[in-house]
Amino acid sequence: MNHLTTSLGEYDLVRFPEDPRDRLRAWDAADEYLLRHLEGTGDTPPADLSGTVVVVGDRWGALATALAGCRPTQVTDSFLAQQATRLNLERNGADPSAVRLLSTREAPPERIDVLLIRVPKSLALLEDQLHRLAPHVHAGTVVVGTGMTKEIHTSTLRLFERLLGTTRTSLAVKKARLIFCTPDPDLARGSDPWPRSYALPSDVGVVSGITVTNHAGIFCAERLDIGTRFFLRHLPRSRGPERVADLGCGNGVVGTAVALANPEAEILFTDESFQAVASAEATFRANAGAGRKAEFRVGDGLSGVPEGTVDLVLNNPPFHSHQATTDATARRMFTGARDALRPGGELWVIGNRHLGYHVTLRRIFGNSELVASDPKFVVLRSVKR
Ligand SMILES: C[S@@+](CC[C@H](N)C(=O)[O-])C[C@H]1O[C@@H](n2cnc3c(N)ncnc32)[C@H](O)[C@@H]1O
């Protein structure tokens, strides 16, 4: 079940965090297709992987682990993907330093000879990444993209064409497709439109009208989410010096609202997306006033936050992991919140009514109270006893 077999070797791969109930594999047909292409087929020779190899958007480290022998650099927006890569390298006996782990916020290697791109779900993230990578490729760089056919659209190919050079696609195999691109160093690309900002509407309390910053690919980068909008109108009243966690902070709008309502609150902004934490920091700094302190942390939920050190956790949990709908992340976020809270501390959650978070919260906290609701959303409050 966990074994990926290629001519490079056989790999035992898992997702992060490992969950025995999770039957999902750590790679898919798009990863296999790319690896098979690099190994060479009847018609194509093996790819020359002797130069600087960069792997972008590898979901669970399957590509980086299989290619560890050529000491690639991995570029990802996801802390969970980085953790999965570390775990999979270790499980497969690879030298942990074989893969250089870079986030999307860091500068790519100066010169890239082989650029392998797992097409991300977000076209905006692809656009931003291609803008950042393009100055580092040269006319001889081998560029191969991969994705499931449902992830590759005409707009995806147009981006490659517009930002890197002439682009064509392969035949589909097991519903996956490859993208081949010949870089044109003289292409006029224009400038990267990311990050973008927008002003909040006038009915969201203390943050009404403020401008929020959004790096590419983050949740609701173009406009405020309707659930978040409802949450902003029902946040707890300010309560003196308290430590507040904006868990899964996205662009930081929720934590910034608390900071503006309560000058004594100290906010911890945390998310597993590097782009999100950078956005939250920009939003907070632009609106909270000079000298206001806050902590910005990329990580998995609240893991690593010492137990009993937080007074209030605010959370709009995700209910998708890549294409799959799941409440696994919400459950882990709630459990992490319970551990990080001090006795008497509170977790406030916004969710779609149909997700039934009150049941999960009752199981984890022993209590859950309805604070506000409309036909679509509920705001729930659980207290750590
Ligand atoms: C529904 S969005 C909410 C964003 C923001 N709080 C808002 O309301 O606009 C959920 C956020 O959780 C983040 N996330 C997903 N899994 C996570 C994890 N394991 N640890 C921390 N954050 C995570 C996502 O990157 C995303 O920014």
Side-chain angles (χ1 to χ4, degrees):
M1 159 78 191
N2 286 343
H3 286 81
L4 166 66
T5 307
T6 77
S7 69
L8 298 167
E10 189 176 315
Y11 306 94
D12 170 27
L13 300 168
V14 290
R15 294 186 172 204
F16 179 89
E18 273 189 89
D19 180 349
R21 282 169 298 185
D22 183 357
R23 310 296 303 161
L24 299 168
R25 286 191 320 188
W27 75 94
D28 62 14
D31 298 320
E32 281 179 303
Y33 198 176
L34 175 60
L35 290 171
R36 220 170 323 111
H37 169 78
L38 297 175
E39 290 153 14
T41 58
D43 322 325
T44 41
D48 176 3
L49 301 175
S50 56
T52 303
V53 177
V54 173
V55 180
V56 180
D58 190 9
R59 306 260 160 103
W60 307 103
L63 296 173
T65 303
L67 296 169
C70 38
R71 306 192 75 81
T73 296
Q74 184 199 61
V75 179
T76 176
D77 177 38
S78 167
F79 176 81
L80 300 182
Q82 284 193 342
Q83 292 297 84
T85 306
R86 289 190 181 101
L87 187 64
N88 283 321
L89 287 170
E90 192 188 313
R91 284 173 84 90
N92 290 281
D95 168 8
S97 69
V99 178
R100 185 172 168 222
L101 300 176
L102 289 186
S103 83
T104 46
R105 307 301 316 145
E106 292 172 283
E110 202 46 53
R111 179 189 159 94
I112 302 174
D113 300 303
V114 180
L115 178 59
L116 308 173
I117 303 176
R118 176 65 212 244
V119 170
K121 198 167 96 188
S122 159
L123 196 65
L125 183 58
L126 181 64
E127 180 181 32
D128 180 53
Q129 285 305 290
L130 293 184
H131 267 290
R132 294 170 72 96
L133 292 159
H136 301 265
V137 305
H138 51 85
T141 301
V142 173
V143 180
V144 189
T146 189
M148 301 307 291
T149 46
K150 63 182 179 202
E151 299 165 339
I152 299 177
H153 311 282
T154 314
S155 50
T156 317
L157 303 176
R158 261 198 240 116
L159 267 187
F160 274 89
E161 187 94 31
R162 181 162 66 78
L163 300 178
L164 285 183
T166 308
T167 299
R168 64 183 176 87
T169 57
S170 71
L171 293 174
V173 174
K174 290 206 233 163
K175 297 189 181 159
R177 210 181 270 290
L178 299 179
I179 299 170
F180 303 109
C181 185
T182 310
D184 174 358
D186 301 324
L187 212 59
R189 286 186 296 273
S191 54
D192 187 351
W194 297 96
R196 287 187 177 153
S197 43
Y198 56 80
L200 295 183
S202 57
D203 61 351
V204 287
V206 279
V207 284
S208 294
I210 73 159
T211 296
V212 291
T213 301
N214 302 273
H215 285 282
I218 71 161
F219 176 76
C220 280
E222 310 270 358
R223 78 195 68 82
L224 185 64
D225 171 54
I226 48 169
T228 310
R229 185 174 188 158
F230 188 67
F231 202 23
L232 288 171
R233 290 162 56 197
H234 296 96
L235 289 176
R237 286 184 197 291
S238 58
R239 309 183 273 202
E242 59 179 357
R243 186 161 160 76
V244 181
D246 181 353
L247 171 57
C249 61
N251 61 19
V253 64
V254 171
T256 301
V258 175
L260 295 186
N262 178 3
E264 293 180 287
E266 195 186 304
I267 321 289
L268 161 65
F269 292 88
T270 181
D271 203 291
E272 79 93 19
S273 152
F274 291 89
Q275 303 277 101
V277 173
S279 306
E281 182 157 9
T283 297
F284 176 84
R285 299 242 180 271
N287 295 289
R292 184 79 186 263
K293 277 201 299 195
E295 192 184 333
F296 301 91
R297 192 170 170 280
V298 179
D300 178 20
L302 289 170
S303 63
V305 172
E307 280 191 20
T309 57
V310 178
D311 300 290
L312 174 65
V313 177
L314 302 169
N315 183 216
N316 178 7
F319 53 93
H320 289 109
S321 172
H322 297 293
Q323 307 292 344
T325 301
T326 169
D327 70 346
T329 308
R331 271 190 275 116
R332 289 181 40 256
M333 282 180 154
F334 300 164
T335 309
R338 183 198 58 201
D339 296 343
L341 284 167
R342 63 160 171 79
E346 297 178 7
L347 165 64
W348 287 50
V349 172
I350 171 86
N352 277 54
R353 186 179 276 281
H354 74 267
L355 293 170
Y357 286 150
H358 61 286
V359 178
T360 318
L361 286 168
R362 253 182 232 138
R363 208 176 310 126
I364 295 169
F365 281 81
N367 64 87
S368 161
E369 178 199 317
L370 181 70
V371 174
S373 68
D374 72 3
K376 205 164 164 23
F377 295 105
V378 290
V379 175
L380 302 165
R381 166 179 169 267
S382 290
V383 182
K384 174 156 171 183
R385 307 273 190 228

